[in-house]
Amino acid sequence: MAQLESLKMNPPVWRYAGSRPKVGIRPTIDGRYGGVREVLENQTMAMAKSAAALIAKKVRHADGAAVECVIADTCIGGVAEAAACQAKFEKEGVGLTLTVTPCWCYGSETMDTDPLTPKAVWGFNGTERPGAVYLAAVLAAHNQVGLPAFSIYGKDVQDANDTSIPADVEAKILRFVRAGVATATMRGRSYLSMGGVSMGIAGSIVNPDFFRAYLGMRTEYIDLTEMTRRIDKKIFDEAEWKRAHQWVKAHCPEGEDINPAARQESRAKKDANWETVVKMALIARDLMIGNPRLAEAGFTEEARGHNALLGGFQGQRHWTDHFPNGDFLEAMLNSSFDWNGIREPFVVATENDSLNGVAMLFGKLLTGSAQVFADVRTYWSPDAVKRVTGKALAGDAAPGLIHLINSGAAALDGSGRQSIGGKPAMKPWWEITPAEAAACLEATKWCPSDLPYFPGGGYSSQFLSRGGMPVTMARVNLVKGLGPVLQIAEGMTVDLPKDQNDLLERRTSPTWPTTWFVPRLTGSGAFRDVYSVMANWGANHGSFSYGHIGGDLIALASMLRIPVCMHNVPETELYRPTAWSAFGMDGEGSDFRACGVYGPIYGKM
């Protein structure tokens, strides 16, 4: 087993320019003095403090730090106090707001009018004062001026002195905050395109208008000669490279070499490839977020990085026809641990598929866990499996399978060697134990590259995901005339008997990581059967996140004005701004219409 001392837990580290976005809590109140406002001050501020305590306890940034809340200095009874609150929030770096009240307030005078912050309003369900009336009035004001907001209202009446937060209210607050924090975190950060278009893949035609208008992100571009320059001129931390190289030699065992014996690379060439791919991982990380150690060596500009929350590596073919492939750098950066210990995973898209990278970023920001990049490779019908293996699919696999596999970008967490409640899992990185990280490393082999694919050599990670993990597969696509759309498929990973698994894997590259995925079927539309899911998937790639997070993804997409064109999320989990209900009674159609009317959140900047 990997030495546990080399897999220590690291503290949260904010890697980017600016600060972590905060949640602004806006306690609004009936502004009438002389017997109304005075009796409501304590109750209203108590609601704000309860919400702040809940958020700080239960929501974390992707780097593991608790989400911080900022409460207005006073209750907000009119425009003067609303303006004072806004000034404080701007100073404090608030990226989303939650308005709370137990009573009637003056809607358009107390509402949040910042066009760039996601918004929700919690109206207390009590009989003493009309919190529900204010909630309805202020949401009508939001809708009338084109500033959509999420509604939060409990199902059961509470007593006026009850400071608890009911479970249904808590669920909505937390879903809104998770999605809002993700939205605010993306704003002002970058996508780093390492290289250009990979093999004509549309997602690697990095679209700056999409990133700017919908996500608030810059797009940064480097040619891969920058990678060779940094390798040749040793623009990396040599001390870290030596330590990382020794760690990799100890904990990243080689797997089988499937190339014909006459074509296999020499031991010396393979060893040289190991040295190069470790350097590539360090350099890709430094390109994304910078490295102060480079400044100490005289490389001041390189030390700053590109403030990249997300990156993509072109690889094929212009790099991999000559140099070792990027599989190691992608797999290790996307994982929750490396030679520096357990730490926040990065997000790096294979083949520079920026749109799949965005889906990975969404999942990571919502969960704090590593994301698995994969080809949506093959649909295996029950009849085809029976014909090829002589055995019928059984259990959860009985409806058929989607084979998720890619040359090596899959985070090692995807092996499923972590555990929640005794079941396979991919945990938020701050919950992973050294033993679990070591188990993921032990479950992974590093196979010399399939040379017809990668003539420059290199190594691809090889593991088999454990079955029994609830996962959500997602993908963003751009459609001419429509814009971006999001696809979501919740389902499970499944195990196959070893002989059956081996026969199916050998029909493609056995040197790559495999996940057998079965989406949850609804009996209609794209989820009529497993074949229909595969047939309706919008590109050759998808990513998956641990857990059924489709509800959070849908809330996030509505904040960004990205319609969801395919999902199997239960209706009870759908949560969008109230304005969406004004765009028709068919939920998915109203999503498209609302997103079309409001347009991208940063589209007019």
Side-chain angles (χ1 to χ4, degrees):
M1 179 173 287
Q3 295 178 359
L4 299 186
E5 61 268 24
S6 71
L7 295 170
K8 63 182 176 63
M9 175 64 68
N10 284 288
V13 175
W14 179 247
R15 297 165 170 166
Y16 310 103
S19 59
R20 299 178 182 93
K22 300 174 184 177
V23 181
I25 310 292
R26 307 175 70 258
T28 56
I29 198 166
D30 190 323
R32 290 172 286 194
Y33 285 95
V36 178
R37 177 165 178 158
E38 295 89 340
V39 300
L40 293 168
E41 292 275 6
N42 290 339
Q43 183 185 5
T44 304
M45 192 58 75
M47 277 185 73
K49 292 177 179 178
S50 294
L54 170 70
I55 293 164
K57 180 180 179 181
K58 294 200 172 183
V59 186
R60 294 201 192 196
H61 293 279
D63 70 356
V67 169
E68 184 178 346
C69 295
V70 178
I71 301 176
D73 290 333
T74 68
C75 292
I76 300 168
V79 292
E81 289 162 318
C85 171
Q86 178 64 20
K88 179 179 183 178
F89 285 1
E90 289 175 358
K91 182 179 179 180
E92 292 282 350
V94 164
L96 60 150
T97 64
L98 172 64
T99 297
V100 303
T101 191
C103 61
W104 168 253
C105 318
Y106 305 156
S108 62
E109 297 181 21
T110 59
M111 65 188 287
D112 171 14
T113 58
D114 185 338
L116 300 182
T117 54
K119 312 173 200 314
V121 184
W122 173 24
F124 185 79
N125 187 355
T127 55
E128 290 80 3
R129 300 283 178 174
V133 178
Y134 169 72
L135 177 64
V138 78
L139 289 172
H142 276 284
N143 296 345
Q144 188 165 322
V145 300
L147 296 172
F150 290 77
S151 174
I152 301 173
Y153 183 64
K155 292 180 179 178
D156 297 318
V157 171
Q158 294 179 259
D159 297 331
N161 62 354
D162 185 354
T163 59
S164 67
I165 300 179
D168 61 328
V169 171
E170 176 179 318
K172 288 185 175 180
I173 290 174
L174 296 181
R175 175 157 287 166
F176 165 75
V177 171
R178 285 191 297 266
V181 168
T183 297
T185 300
M186 287 183 278
R187 184 181 174 192
R189 270 93 230 180
S190 303
Y191 177 89
L192 177 61
S193 174
M194 291 178 272
V197 178
S198 174
M199 301 184 295
I201 293 171
S204 66
I205 305 172
V206 180
N207 187 311
D209 293 336
F210 163 68
F211 277 93
R212 178 191 56 79
Y214 284 90
L215 309 181
M217 294 177 65
R218 296 173 180 265
T219 44
E220 295 281 297
Y221 309 84
I222 64 158
D223 187 272
L224 287 178
T225 53
E226 177 64 6
M227 182 74 73
T228 61
R229 183 180 79 92
R230 293 194 183 206
I231 292 172
D232 293 346
K233 294 183 179 295
K234 297 185 178 180
I235 306 176
F236 52 86
D237 183 342
E238 289 195 72
E240 182 182 3
W241 172 72
K242 291 176 182 177
R243 176 166 53 82
H245 186 233
Q246 290 302 311
W247 185 91
V248 168
K249 288 171 68 175
H251 304 313
C252 296
E254 287 187 19
E256 65 177 313
D257 188 337
I258 64 169
N259 296 290
R263 190 171 178 182
Q264 291 180 10
E265 295 175 316
S266 68
R267 184 68 258 168
K269 180 65 166 66
K270 289 178 178 178
D271 290 342
N273 285 345
W274 271 120
E275 294 184 7
T276 299
V277 299
V278 175
K279 292 173 185 176
M280 290 167 61
L282 295 176
I283 291 168
R285 180 202 64 194
D286 294 349
L287 282 163
M288 290 181 69
I289 65 168
N291 186 344
R293 294 297 301 275
L294 301 184
E296 297 171 15
F299 300 106
T300 305
E301 181 183 3
E302 292 87 346
R304 295 191 176 106
H306 289 268
N307 199 39
L309 191 65
L310 166 63
F313 184 76
Q314 175 193 346
Q316 297 187 77
R317 288 184 43 206
H318 306 105
W319 179 268
T320 57
D321 278 6
H322 186 60
F323 294 105
N325 62 26
D327 291 1
F328 179 81
L329 83 82
E330 295 159 7
M332 287 309 303
L333 290 180
N334 285 330
S335 299
S336 300
F337 44 83
D338 61 17
W339 45 89
N340 291 317
I342 300 168
R343 47 88 179 128
E344 178 189 358
F346 292 81
V347 182
V348 183
T350 295
E351 294 159 353
N352 203 22
D353 186 347
S354 62
L355 298 179
N356 207 52
V358 169
M360 295 172 72
L361 180 61
F362 289 173
K364 179 200 154 179
L365 293 177
L366 290 169
T367 67
S369 61
Q371 306 297 298
V372 176
F373 184 111
D375 281 353
V376 184
R377 187 98 173 179
T378 309
Y379 163 67
W380 278 101
S381 69
D383 289 344
V385 172
K386 179 70 177 295
R387 177 181 62 80
V388 170
T389 69
K391 286 186 176 181
L393 291 172
D396 290 338
L401 304 158
I402 294 177
H403 192 184
L404 302 179
I405 182 171
N406 191 268
S407 61
L412 274 59
D413 306 57
S415 62
R417 266 60 181 184
Q418 300 158 25
S419 177
I420 295 177
K423 297 181 179 180
M426 296 166 59
K427 297 162 72 170
W429 72 267
W430 57 84
E431 295 180 2
I432 297 171
T433 67
E436 288 172 327
C440 292
L441 284 164
E442 279 203 329
T444 306
K445 299 292 187 293
W446 295 90
C447 299
S449 71
D450 187 345
L451 292 174
Y453 274 102
F454 304 119
Y459 295 91
S460 297
S461 58
Q462 177 199 56
F463 62 73
L464 176 63
S465 297
R466 293 174 68 189
M469 290 194 291
V471 296
T472 301
M473 188 166 74
R475 166 80 195 188
V476 173
N477 296 300
L478 289 178
V479 180
K480 179 71 173 179
L482 176 61
V485 292
L486 177 65
Q487 295 181 293
I488 299 168
E490 295 183 339
M492 299 291 294
T493 64
V494 297
D495 292 318
L496 298 181
K498 186 177 186 310
D499 57 346
Q500 196 175 41
N501 174 83
D502 292 349
L503 281 167
L504 299 182
E505 275 199 320
R506 288 284 165 182
R507 292 178 68 94
T508 183
S509 177
T511 67
W512 298 348
T514 279
T515 304
W516 299 111
F517 173 65
V518 179
R520 185 177 62 242
L521 303 177
T522 64
S524 63
F527 293 91
R528 180 173 57 256
D529 50 34
V530 179
Y531 172 81
S532 297
V533 175
M534 179 81 175
N536 282 278
W537 202 250
N540 54 311
H541 293 148
S543 70
F544 70 81
S545 182
Y546 178 80
H548 289 159
I549 64 166
D552 284 356
L553 285 168
I554 288 172
L556 172 58
S558 69
M559 290 180 184
L560 301 172
R561 317 295 189 250
I562 298 175
V564 179
C565 66
M566 171 181 167
H567 76 82
N568 60 346
V569 179
E571 186 176 356
T572 55
E573 294 292 305
L574 302 184
Y575 190 37
R576 295 179 171 115
T578 55
W580 266 238
S581 63
F583 287 86
M585 296 177 64
D586 56 323
E588 302 321 307
S590 67
D591 183 30
F592 275 83
R593 290 185 285 272
C595 290
V597 166
Y598 290 116
I601 189 170
Y602 309 109
K604 296 179 181 178
M605 289 180 63

